[in-house]
Amino acid sequence: MAAIVEGPLIAALSCGKPVYLVVLLHGHDSDGQTLINHALNWAPTMPKAEFFAAEPGLARDGVPSGRQWFRHGGH
């Protein structure tokens, strides 16, 4: 499994230190930015939560900007 190297973040909407951390992991043919856009809709219902859309550290074969969590045989 790849290490987490980066990813977009939405800070908690409440003032002060966040109470919760929601970590979003994307699947095949997606990315952290797509997931964090969904979190924009969820944030108002969870104002004490910080949202982090993790990006995997492995480059995806054949896709210059693609990232993946695992190496897939034959894919």
Side-chain angles (χ1 to χ4, degrees), residues 13 38-48 51:
L13 297 178
H38 291 294
L40 290 171
N41 296 320
W42 302 329
T45 63
M46 301 174 69
K48 295 182 179 183
F51 293 84

Side-chain angles (χ1 to χ4, degrees), residues 7-40:
L9 178 77
I10 296 176
L13 297 178
S14 64
C15 296
K17 188 176 179 180
V19 176
Y20 308 102
L21 174 63
V22 178
V23 178
L24 306 167
L25 303 174
H26 65 78
H28 189 70
D29 290 337
S30 190
D31 59 24
Q33 190 58 51
T34 300
L35 285 183
I36 209 69
N37 289 338
H38 291 294
L40 290 171

